[in-house]
């Protein structure tokens, strides 16, 4: 069974950093990229970027360019999203998704809820 | 990057056909993808590369492309199809974008 399992809910203070993990299971991790998508409460989907599963190449949305890092650990088939300098605007659900060669984002994690409050 | 424009909402009665559009000049050169998201759930891809349907997605879901507009069509809409639908595409540099989403209401 192919799945992505994300780390649990996070509560952070403004100015702190966030690190979310996304563990792949049931497929060869290095054959696919992982995309990160977030969704503010009551809002639409927002693409944050992607990281390749083999070489760790990245592409970030310009909005997050200066405070985001996406990495991988191939030994554990896990992708990581790090977001720094959090504000209340960073509240929401964060999803990872496998990027198929042609099929788009074909497998999604369950989401990680992030709260930012002083 | 660019923006993908979707109508905020579409309403249809059960058994009717729902059409959700997504527009941007870049779509004449780039593939589009459609995702369905039900409340409290992760999105699911229902159409890829403009008109391809993943295995497991009902045949009533179809996609088409004409110039700068792509369309998701749901024929014979069922109550279970009520959800938010998002189009997504990307540019040649690897930057991706989602449309604002369309809430499909089954009356």
């Amino acid at each position: 069974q192919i799945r992505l399992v994300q780390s649990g809910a996070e509560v952070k203070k403004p100015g702190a950093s966030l690190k979310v993990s996304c563990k792949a299971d049931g497929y060869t991790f290095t054959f696919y990229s992982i995309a990160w998508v977030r969704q503010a409460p009551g809002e639409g989907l927002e693409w944050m970027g992607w990281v390749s599963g083999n070489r760790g190449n990245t592409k970030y949305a310009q909005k997050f360019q200066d405070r985001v890092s996406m990495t991988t650990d191939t030994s554990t088939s896990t992708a990581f999203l790090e977001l720094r300098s959090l504000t209340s605007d960073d509240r929401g659900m964060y999803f990872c998704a496998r990027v198929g060669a042609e099929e788009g984002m074909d497998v999604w994690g369950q989401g990680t809820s992030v709260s930012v409050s002083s | 990057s660019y923006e993908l424009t979707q109508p905020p909402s579409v309403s249809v009665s059960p058994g009717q056909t729902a059409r959700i559009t997504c527009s941007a000049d870049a779509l004449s050169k780039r593939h589009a993808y459609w995702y369905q998201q039900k409340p409290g759930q992760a999105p699911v891809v229902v159409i890829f590369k403009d008109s391809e349907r993943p295995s497991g997605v009902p045949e009533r879901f179809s996609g088409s492309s004409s110039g700068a507009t792509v369309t998701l069509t749901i024929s014979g809409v069922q109550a279970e199809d009520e959800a938010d639908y998002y189009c997504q595409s990307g540019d040649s540099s690897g930057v991706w974008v989602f449309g604002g989403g369309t809430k499909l209401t089954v009356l």
Side-chain angles (χ1 to χ4, degrees):
Chain A
Q1 179 189 3
I2 296 172
R3 59 179 187 161
L4 297 173
V5 180
Q6 297 184 225
S7 48
E10 300 267 11
V11 178
K12 295 292 184 181
K13 293 191 183 302
S17 293
L18 168 73
K19 192 165 187 176
V20 179
S21 68
C22 170
K23 183 172 175 58
D25 191 24
Y27 73 93
T28 302
F29 182 74
T30 53
F31 285 4
Y32 297 84
S33 296
I34 293 287
W36 290 92
V37 174
R38 80 175 185 181
Q39 187 168 37
E43 301 294 325
L45 303 177
E46 181 175 32
W47 175 76
M48 300 182 70
W50 52 256
V51 56
S52 68
N54 54 359
R55 297 183 180 185
N57 297 337
T58 56
K59 191 73 176 183
Y60 301 142
Q62 187 172 10
K63 174 178 181 178
F64 302 104
Q65 190 82 32
D66 59 348
R67 63 187 187 102
V68 73
S69 296
M70 296 176 189
T71 58
T72 61
D73 180 346
T74 56
S75 69
T76 60
S77 300
T78 303
F80 300 93
L81 166 72
E82 181 177 16
L83 189 63
R84 299 175 289 275
S85 303
L86 294 172
T87 72
S88 58
D89 289 342
D90 294 313
R91 293 175 304 134
M93 190 70 78
Y94 288 72
F95 295 99
C96 63
R98 187 181 81 163
V99 181
E102 295 186 328
E103 301 84 357
M105 290 172 272
D106 62 350
V107 179
W108 290 68
Q110 82 276 20
T112 296
S113 176
V114 174
S115 299
V116 181
S117 174
S118 55
Chain B
S1 63
Y2 55 92
E3 292 186 0
L4 298 174
T5 300
Q6 299 181 234
S9 62
V10 168
S11 300
V12 295
S13 299
Q16 290 191 328
T17 296
R19 294 181 180 85
I20 300 172
T21 58
C22 175
S23 300
D25 287 344
L27 290 178
S28 62
K29 307 185 191 76
R30 311 297 300 180
H31 286 307
Y33 302 78
W34 288 96
Y35 298 88
Q36 176 195 66
Q37 186 183 32
K38 296 181 179 179
Q41 297 184 18
V44 173
V45 59
V46 292
I47 293 291
F48 64 94
K49 289 178 63 179
D50 297 338
S51 58
E52 301 291 325
R53 190 176 55 249
S55 61
V57 173
E59 291 185 7
R60 62 181 180 273
F61 288 85
S62 64
S64 60
S65 176
S66 179
T69 299
V70 294
T71 302
L72 172 68
T73 300
I74 310 172
S75 304
V77 166
Q78 300 183 6
E80 67 197 51
D81 300 329
E82 186 164 284
D84 295 325
Y85 291 85
Y86 296 90
C87 62
Q88 177 258 316
S89 188
D91 66 21
S92 57
S93 73
V95 173
W96 295 356
V97 62
F98 283 99
T102 299
K103 182 177 181 60
L104 175 65
T105 300
V106 181
L107 300 170

